[in-house]
């Protein structure tokens, strides 16, 4: 009888402890809040914002980073001496730097040079290193190179996001939304609205809706400059685009984790409208949100208008992806907007008039 035994009890013990630490982080964190957006009660429609900015690392990507680490650990890809490498526009890298520090591993984030200073500072605060590239299209190649060079592991969120999260439940974001909506006037949302960066969140929610046999429709919103919208409309999975100015969503290519078949509608939102909606949310709710949240809310307003015009009652749920404090030098800076040719004033006028519509 021949056999090969590669069992390494020391590594297995380390992995078990690493998984315990990552799971313990989830146990220490309460579920995220679902806020009611103030709309006139006479309309018969409701808007809810699920606040993912309250995670320990301040964004929706905390869920993804936790799932990716558990996936890598359980698959045997991450061990006690692994350097973790990720390609990111910022928020995922912030969260992964947090989890790498939690289990005592080095972390390198490969990011576009245009990434906000605030996000770079957060990654470094959690002990990560930032490898900036001038051409965003090279982040994948650079990540692979660094992983080989360090003997590390490239997490590759853009490939594994849709499979690392249990879409059937296990307190994922979809299950959380439907549980929190149970006592609301319209507990089964007419629409759930999310952006796509990796495509992991839309894949999880779209699959869960079908698995639980809900009538809820999934709308995915895409910023200008992203390849997702044109690809979804044409069916061309090889579509490319310049890339998005709204950090965290939109991509220059269609990522492997993007699942077009679970999406009911896609909407494309101009960057100026996304940033106007970001500021409008702060005006109306007092909540300081980021640019991708503005993209979500702009699309939600469009869907609410359509529901009202059709005489339809119901609810719309979308996400607060992260906080506005990460964008003080960009979306929240009028000089930055002017330098990028973005005029948000007409969009602000339109959004402000929305709440006064009869």
């Amino acid at each position: 009888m021949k056999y090969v035994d590669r069992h390494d009890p020391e590594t297995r013990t380390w992995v078990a402890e690493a998984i315990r630490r990552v799971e313990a982080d989830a146990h220490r964190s309460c579920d995220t809040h679902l806020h009611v957006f103030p709309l006139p009660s006479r309309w018969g429609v409701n808007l809810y914002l699920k606040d993912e900015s309250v995670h320990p690392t301040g964004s929706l990507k905390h869920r993804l980073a936790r799932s990716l680490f558990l996936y890598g650990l359980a698959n045997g890809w991450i061990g006690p001496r692994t350097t973790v490498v990720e390609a990111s526009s910022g928020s995922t890298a912030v969260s992964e730097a947090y989890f790498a520090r939690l289990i005592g591993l080095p972390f390198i984030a490969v990011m576009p040079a245009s990434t906000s200073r605030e996000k770079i500072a957060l990654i470094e605060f959690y002990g990560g290193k930032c490898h900036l590239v001038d051409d965003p299209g090279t982040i994948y190649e650079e990540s692979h190179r660094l992983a080989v060079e360090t003997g590390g592991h490239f997490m590759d969120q853009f490939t594994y996001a849709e499979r690392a999260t249990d879409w059937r439940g296990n307190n994922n974001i979809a299950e959380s939304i439907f549980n929190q909506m149970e006592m609301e006037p319209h507990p089964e949302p007419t629409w759930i609205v999310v952006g796509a960066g990796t495509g992991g969140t839309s894949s999880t929610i779209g699959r869960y809706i079908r698995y639980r046999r809900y009538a809820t429709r999934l709308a995915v919103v895409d910023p200008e400059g992203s390849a997702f919208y044109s690809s979804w409309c044409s069916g061309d999975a090889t579509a490319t685009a310049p890339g998005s100015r709204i950090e965290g969503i939109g991509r220059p290519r269609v990522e492997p984790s993007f699942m077009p078949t679970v999406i009911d509608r896609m909407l494309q939102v101009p960057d100026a409208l996304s940033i106007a909606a970001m500021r409008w949310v702060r005006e109306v709710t007092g909540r300081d949100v980021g640019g991708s949240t503005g993209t979500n809310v702009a699309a939600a307003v469009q869907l609410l208008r359509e529901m009202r015009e059709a005489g339809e009652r119901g609810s719309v749920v979308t996400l607060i992806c992260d906080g506005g404090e990460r964008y003080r030098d960009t979306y929240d800076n009028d000089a930055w907007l002017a330098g990028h040719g973005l005029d948000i004033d007409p969009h602000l006028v339109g959004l402000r008039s929305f709440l006064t519509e009869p």
Side-chain angles (χ1 to χ4, degrees), residues 174 178-179 188-189 208-217:
F178 281 95
N179 286 343
E188 188 172 322
Y208 184 85
I209 287 170
R210 285 160 175 74
Y211 178 63
R212 293 297 182 186
R213 304 180 300 281
Y214 290 118
T216 300
R217 287 168 285 174

Side-chain angles (χ1 to χ4, degrees), residues 198-247:
T198 61
T201 300
S202 58
S203 299
T204 297
I205 294 174
R207 287 165 166 165
Y208 184 85
I209 287 170
R210 285 160 175 74
Y211 178 63
R212 293 297 182 186
R213 304 180 300 281
Y214 290 118
T216 300
R217 287 168 285 174
L218 175 65
V220 171
V221 57
D222 206 33
E224 64 181 79
S226 171
F228 290 131
Y229 179 78
S230 61
S231 170
W232 192 82
C233 292
S234 67
D236 179 8
T238 65
T240 59
S244 170
R245 285 184 293 196
I246 304 300
E247 289 185 22

Side-chain angles (χ1 to χ4, degrees), residues 156-168:
D156 197 359
Q157 59 168 321
F158 297 107
T159 295
Y160 295 108
E162 58 90 6
R163 67 195 73 173
T165 300
D166 185 353
W167 50 268
R168 290 166 294 185

